[in-house]
Amino acid sequence: MYGELDNHEANGIRTNISSAIFAGQVKAVIWDLEKLGFMDSAGIGLILGRMRDLAPFGGETLILNPSVTMEKIFSFSGLEKNIRHCTVDQAIGEIGGVLHEQ
């Protein structure tokens, strides 16, 4: 992800990822936030909601390279165990997955 993640952007992403999860095509979502300059509450809701969608399937969510501010917000939300400071390839290796970009 790059640029800004606001309500408008979150809506399109939400539809695509949730459809793939419910179709059984996704078992994990890796959110690479290194190039994300701004994220409002809709972005946080997007990530939390996809975690909720994945839960019945035993899916995983990793949040990569958030800014200091974003990391604090995720930690306050109880997501510190999902945060990694690594590359996408390293995260994929950690979960034993295959890359499918949206």
Side-chain angles (χ1 to χ4, degrees):
M1 304 189 78
Y2 61 93
E4 298 185 356
L5 180 56
D6 57 16
N7 189 53
H8 176 72
E9 289 292 321
N11 286 334
I13 295 168
R14 177 181 299 113
T15 301
N16 290 337
I17 294 176
S18 290
S19 295
I21 291 169
F22 294 131
Q25 299 170 332
V26 175
K27 299 294 182 199
V29 176
I30 298 173
W31 303 92
D32 186 1
L33 306 181
E34 183 173 22
K35 296 179 182 175
L36 193 65
F38 171 80
M39 178 174 62
D40 66 11
S41 60
I44 296 165
L46 170 69
I47 293 172
L48 292 172
R50 285 349 85 215
M51 290 178 77
R52 184 185 60 238
D53 290 349
L54 279 167
F57 303 101
E60 292 188 66
T61 299
L62 295 180
I63 302 165
L64 305 186
N65 310 309
S67 70
V68 173
T69 302
M70 288 180 216
E71 186 164 353
K72 286 179 184 177
I73 293 168
F74 288 123
S75 293
F76 291 146
S77 300
L79 300 177
E80 57 275 342
K81 70 182 186 319
N82 300 81
I83 297 171
R84 304 289 188 282
H85 293 277
C86 63
T87 67
V88 172
D89 288 338
Q90 290 169 326
I92 290 170
E94 179 180 329
I95 63 173
V98 177
L99 177 64
H100 296 284
E101 291 187 27
Q102 287 287 326

